Amino acid sequence: MCETSSSLLPQDQALVDGVLARERRALAKTITLIESTRAEHQERARAVIAALLPQSGRSIRVGISGSPGAGKSTFIEALGTFLIDAGHRLAVLAVDPSSTISGGSILGDKTRMESLCQREEAFIRPSPSAGSLGGVAERTREAILVCEAAGFDVIIVETVGVGQSETTVAGMVDAFVLLQLPNAGDELQAIKKGIVEIADLVVINKADIDPRAAAIARSQMQMAMMMLRPASHHWRPPVLTISALKKEGIAAFWDEIDRYQATLLAAGEFEARRRRQSLDWMWAQIDSGLRQRFRAHPAVRASLESLSVAVASGRTTPSSAAKILLDHLQSR
Amino acid sequence: MCETSSSLLPQDQALVDGVLARERRALAKTITLIESTRAEHQERARAVIAALLPQSGRSIRVGISGSPGAGKSTFIEALGTFLIDAGHRLAVLAVDPSSTISGGSILGDKTRMESLCQREEAFIRPSPSAGSLGGVAERTREAILVCEAAGFDVIIVETVGVGQSETTVAGMVDAFVLLQLPNAGDELQAIKKGIVEIADLVVINKADIDPRAAAIARSQMQMAMMMLRPASHHWRPPVLTISALKKEGIAAFWDEIDRYQATLLAAGEFEARRRRQSLDWMWAQIDSGLRQRFRAHPAVRASLESLSVAVASGRTTPSSAAKILLDHLQSR
C-alpha cells in the first residue's frame, strides 16, 4: 500500500528494461523524462523510478564542491579514469541552479572531461537547467537512483557554490568533499559560507605548483576543521593534498573514501544518514507543497499581500496575520 | 481590514488601560494571559495585543546570550542600574526552552538581580515555561510588544545556549550581544555553535580577573569575527572588554549600542531588520500551522507512519511519498 500503484506504459516499461540492461540511450531518455516539467511526464517519471527503485542504492554517492578554478573537472576526470581502471562504473551528475540564467552549466561543456567522456564506463550528465535549487535538486536525486539502477557504483555529484547548493548536495550524498585551492582566501570563503562544517573530506588541489603553500593550507584547514566541525565519534574529516593535473594523490583520496565508507558502515551511520536524508527530503517536499497550496488558496491570495504589509509596518502582529491566513483554509 | 476585529471584553480593556498607564500589575497579568495555553485565553491575548500594538515598537531590543558562568545576570544588573540612572525604563525577558524540564529558569531566581528588582523602572520576567522553543519565542515576542506599550524603552532578552535559542533571540531583537568569558574554550564553543556570525556586539566579561587574558581573548575574537561574520557595509561588530562585577566598561558598552542604533537607523537597516523579522515570524507560524493541520488530517494520520518507513527503507521515493500524502488533502 505504500507503493505508487501506477502501471507502466509500454514505452516506459521499455525505458525500465533498457536502464536495467545498462543501455545508455534508455538511461539518458529516462533522465530527460525526469527533468521534464510537464505534468504527464512527471507522472510517467514517478512510475519509472518506482519500478527502478528496488535496483537502486548500491553505490557510493560522493558530492564534490569547490570554487571556480579549484579544478573540479580536472579532479573528476583524474578520479574517474582511476576508478574505471579499477573496475568501477561512474556517473557524474551536477547541481547548478544558476545554469538557467548563465545559459552554460558546469558539465555543460563536455570537452572539459574529454577523456572521461570517451569511456563506456562513465556517464556524464549536465545539471538540469530548470529553475529553483529545490527543483534541480529533486531531479538530481532521482537521477542518482536511475544511474544506480543502471549499474553505476560510483555516483559523483558536482556543484558550484551558488546559494545553498553545497548544503543541498551534502544532503543527497554519502560523502561530501570540499575541493580547495592552496590559498588562504579560498579557505576564508569556505569558512564564511559554512561549507567547512559539512565537509567529510577536504582536498587541497594544485599542490604541485607550490608544495609549501599547499602544506600550510592543509594545516590551516585542519585547524579550522577542528574548530568548526562538530565532534563525531566516528569520523574526523581528513585534509589531503593532491595534484589533479599530475594525477598525484588520487589513489590516496579514494583510499580515504573507502575508509570513510567502512567506518560509517561499521558504526551503522551510513544507512542512518541515507534514511535521514530521505525523510528530510520527503518533509522538504511536503512543506513546499503545503506552502504552494496555501499561496494558491483564493482567500489567501486575496489577503496575503495586504496582511504582509500590515505585519511589516507593525500594524498587525505576525501571530494575528498567520492566524487570519490559516483560518482562511477552513472556509474553502 | 487587516486588523483582527475582535472586540475587547471589559476586563481586557482594563488590562489595556492598565498597561498604557504603566501599571505593573496589569502588565504582569497581560503577560500571564499571553503565556496561557488555553484557547480562550489566547483569543483574548490576541485582542489585547492588537489594542496595544499602536503603542509598541518604541524601544531598543537587545538580546544577550552567553554560556553559563559568563556572568549574564551580573552584567544585566550592572547595565540595568546604569540605564535607569540615565533615565531609561528597562524590561528584562528571557527565552529558556529548557525551563520546563529543569523546573528552574534563568531569571526564575529573582535574587540573582536583587538590586534591579527593587527598582520601579525595571520589569523582570522569567522565561515562559511552556514547551517548545517556538512557543516560548512566540510568547516572548508578544511580551516585548506589551512591555513597549507599557513605556519600557529598553528591552533586554536574555538567553542561555540551548538548541537554537540564540538564533531565535537574534531574530527578535535589534542588537544581539554575545557575552564571553576570557578563555579560548568559550570562544571555541561560540564559534562551533555559529553564534559569532550573528553577534552584533561581543563583550568579554570578567576582564578584571586577568586583564592580559581578556586582551588576548579580545584580539582572537576580533580575528574570528572577521573570518566568520559576513561583511556588512554598515556595521563591523566591535569586541569590548568589561567587568560587570566592578561595573567597568558598562557606559562604553551602551555607547556602542547607541552608535549601532544610529548607524543602522541612518542606513535604513534598523526598520528593515524589524520588518524582515516580523515577516519571517509570520511565515514561521504559517509553516508550523500548515504542518500541524497536515499531520492532523485523518488520511495523513492513517498513512504517514507506513510511508515514512517505506521512504526510510528505500522502498518508496521521498517524492512519491510526499505526493501521496499531499494528495490526501484534496480528498477531505
Side-chain angles (χ1 to χ4, degrees):
Chain A
M1 65 152 283
C2 294
E3 302 294 318
T4 35
S5 56
S6 333
S7 62
L8 284 169
L9 298 172
Q11 70 263 42
D12 293 341
Q13 185 63 55
L15 285 182
V16 168
D17 296 341
V19 167
L20 293 178
R22 306 189 170 185
E23 289 164 12
R24 300 180 78 82
R25 195 146 168 277
L27 176 58
K29 280 178 76 175
T30 302
I31 296 180
T32 303
L33 189 67
I34 289 171
E35 291 176 358
S36 167
T37 51
R38 284 174 56 186
E40 65 167 296
H41 287 172
Q42 289 181 354
E43 191 64 42
R44 286 175 53 200
R46 257 191 299 275
V48 169
I49 295 163
L52 292 171
L53 201 55
Q55 305 306 322
S56 72
R58 284 186 288 270
S59 80
I60 175 128
R61 305 165 184 167
V62 180
I64 295 179
S65 162
S67 44
K72 286 189 295 297
S73 43
T74 312
F75 176 57
I76 292 173
E77 176 143 283
L79 175 65
T81 309
F82 168 82
L83 288 171
I84 290 169
D85 290 345
H88 291 285
R89 296 184 75 230
L90 173 88
V92 184
L93 308 171
V95 168
D96 179 7
S98 71
S99 61
T100 329
I101 304 150
S102 65
S105 144
I106 51 171
L107 293 176
D109 179 11
K110 287 218 180 178
T111 55
R112 289 191 322 141
M113 299 187 193
E114 218 170 316
S115 67
L116 203 56
C117 283
Q118 289 160 11
R119 304 290 297 254
E120 184 56 38
E121 303 89 341
F123 177 79
I124 300 177
R125 179 92 185 183
S127 176
S129 58
S132 75
L133 178 55
V136 169
E138 180 178 346
R139 284 177 273 280
T140 305
R141 274 184 160 267
E142 295 178 338
I144 291 175
L145 301 175
V146 176
C147 289
E148 288 172 344
F152 292 98
D153 65 335
V154 178
I155 313 285
I156 305 281
V157 184
E158 178 183 0
T159 191
V160 282
V162 179
Q164 294 294 306
S165 69
E166 287 104 342
T167 316
T168 305
V169 168
M172 65 174 79
V173 295
D174 305 314
F176 187 72
V177 177
L178 175 59
L179 195 67
Q180 287 282 99
L181 284 168
N183 67 57
D186 203 36
E187 184 195 339
L188 262 178
Q189 279 306 313
I191 291 173
K192 277 195 182 172
K193 290 176 67 185
I195 321 172
V196 174
E197 286 97 317
I198 57 172
D200 300 306
L201 281 94
V202 175
V203 176
I204 294 164
N205 193 14
K206 308 197 181 181
D208 53 311
I209 297 169
D210 183 348
R212 217 178 67 91
I216 293 170
R218 180 170 180 243
S219 71
Q220 282 178 337
M221 184 52 86
Q222 275 169 331
M223 270 176 53
M225 299 288 286
M226 276 205 288
M227 271 171 57
L228 293 170
R229 172 96 189 185
S232 157
H233 296 303
H234 305 307
W235 183 252
R236 175 177 292 249
V239 183
L240 311 177
T241 55
I242 64 157
S243 164
L245 194 67
K246 303 203 163 179
K247 303 192 193 323
E248 287 165 4
I250 305 297
F253 166 76
W254 197 253
D255 282 348
E256 286 297 310
I257 292 282
D258 275 343
R259 190 169 69 86
Y260 171 78
Q261 186 176 21
T263 307
L264 266 68
L265 276 170
E269 257 300 307
F270 193 84
E271 284 306 322
R273 176 167 169 162
R274 285 197 174 179
R275 281 196 296 275
R276 206 166 48 237
Q277 288 177 340
S278 294
L279 288 171
D280 285 353
W281 187 245
M282 180 184 83
W283 278 106
Q285 290 189 276
I286 289 172
D287 284 339
S288 136
L290 290 174
R291 269 226 193 175
Q292 211 176 314
R293 279 150 198 263
F294 174 77
R295 283 182 178 277
H297 189 286
V300 170
R301 284 175 63 175
S303 55
L304 180 58
E305 192 170 321
S306 62
L307 273 169
S308 297
V309 170
V311 165
S313 65
R315 279 183 290 120
T316 301
T317 63
S319 311
S320 297
K323 187 176 183 309
I324 293 169
L325 289 165
L326 288 167
D327 284 348
H328 285 332
L329 299 186
Q330 243 101 37
S331 62
R332 167 115 75 164
Chain B
M1 61 154 284
C2 295
E3 301 294 319
T4 35
S5 57
S6 333
S7 63
L8 284 170
L9 297 172
Q11 70 262 43
D12 293 340
Q13 186 62 56
L15 285 183
V16 169
D17 296 341
V19 167
L20 293 177
R22 306 189 172 186
E23 290 164 12
R24 301 180 77 82
R25 197 148 164 275
L27 176 58
K29 279 178 78 174
T30 301
I31 295 179
T32 302
L33 189 67
I34 289 170
E35 291 177 358
S36 167
T37 51
R38 285 174 55 184
E40 66 166 293
H41 287 172
Q42 289 181 355
E43 191 63 40
R44 286 176 51 202
R46 258 190 298 274
V48 170
I49 295 163
L52 292 171
L53 203 54
Q55 306 305 321
S56 71
R58 284 186 287 270
S59 79
I60 174 129
R61 305 164 183 167
V62 180
I64 295 179
S65 163
S67 45
K72 285 188 295 297
S73 43
T74 311
F75 176 57
I76 292 171
E77 176 144 286
L79 175 65
T81 308
F82 167 83
L83 288 171
I84 291 169
D85 290 345
H88 292 285
R89 297 184 73 231
L90 173 88
V92 184
L93 309 170
V95 168
D96 178 6
S98 72
S99 62
T100 330
I101 304 149
S102 67
S105 144
I106 52 170
L107 293 178
D109 177 11
K110 288 221 181 177
T111 56
R112 288 190 320 141
M113 298 187 193
E114 219 169 318
S115 67
L116 202 56
C117 283
Q118 289 161 11
R119 304 289 297 255
E120 184 56 38
E121 302 89 342
F123 177 78
I124 299 176
R125 179 90 185 185
S127 176
S129 58
S132 74
L133 177 56
V136 168
E138 180 179 345
R139 284 177 272 280
T140 304
R141 273 183 162 269
E142 294 177 340
I144 290 174
L145 301 175
V146 176
C147 289
E148 288 171 345
F152 292 97
D153 65 336
V154 178
I155 314 284
I156 305 280
V157 183
E158 178 183 1
T159 192
V160 284
V162 179
Q164 294 294 307
S165 68
E166 286 104 342
T167 316
T168 305
V169 168
M172 64 174 80
V173 296
D174 304 313
F176 187 72
V177 178
L178 175 59
L179 195 67
Q180 286 282 102
L181 284 168
N183 67 57
D186 203 36
E187 184 194 339
L188 262 178
Q189 279 306 315
I191 291 173
K192 277 196 182 174
K193 291 176 67 186
I195 320 171
V196 173
E197 286 96 317
I198 57 172
D200 300 305
L201 281 94
V202 175
V203 176
I204 294 165
N205 192 15
K206 307 198 182 181
D208 53 311
I209 297 171
D210 183 349
R212 217 177 67 93
I216 293 170
R218 180 171 179 243
S219 70
Q220 281 178 339
M221 184 53 86
Q222 275 168 330
M223 270 177 54
M225 301 287 287
M226 274 202 290
M227 271 172 57
L228 293 169
R229 173 97 188 183
S232 158
H233 295 301
H234 306 307
W235 183 251
R236 175 175 291 249
V239 182
L240 313 176
T241 56
I242 64 156
S243 164
L245 194 67
K246 300 203 164 177
K247 303 191 193 325
E248 287 165 6
I250 305 297
F253 166 77
W254 197 252
D255 282 347
E256 286 297 309
I257 292 281
D258 276 343
R259 189 168 68 86
Y260 171 78
Q261 187 175 20
T263 306
L264 265 70
L265 276 170
E269 257 301 305
F270 193 84
E271 283 306 322
R273 176 169 171 159
R274 284 195 176 181
R275 281 196 297 273
R276 205 166 48 236
Q277 287 176 341
S278 294
L279 287 172
D280 285 351
W281 188 243
M282 180 185 83
W283 278 107
Q285 290 190 280
I286 289 172
D287 284 339
S288 136
L290 290 175
R291 269 227 193 176
Q292 212 175 316
R293 279 150 199 264
F294 174 76
R295 284 180 177 277
H297 189 286
V300 171
R301 282 174 65 176
S303 56
L304 179 58
E305 194 170 321
S306 61
L307 273 169
S308 297
V309 171
V311 165
S313 65
R315 279 183 291 120
T316 302
T317 62
S319 311
S320 298
K323 185 174 185 310
I324 294 170
L325 289 165
L326 288 167
D327 283 348
H328 284 333
L329 298 185
Q330 242 101 35
S331 63
R332 168 118 72 167

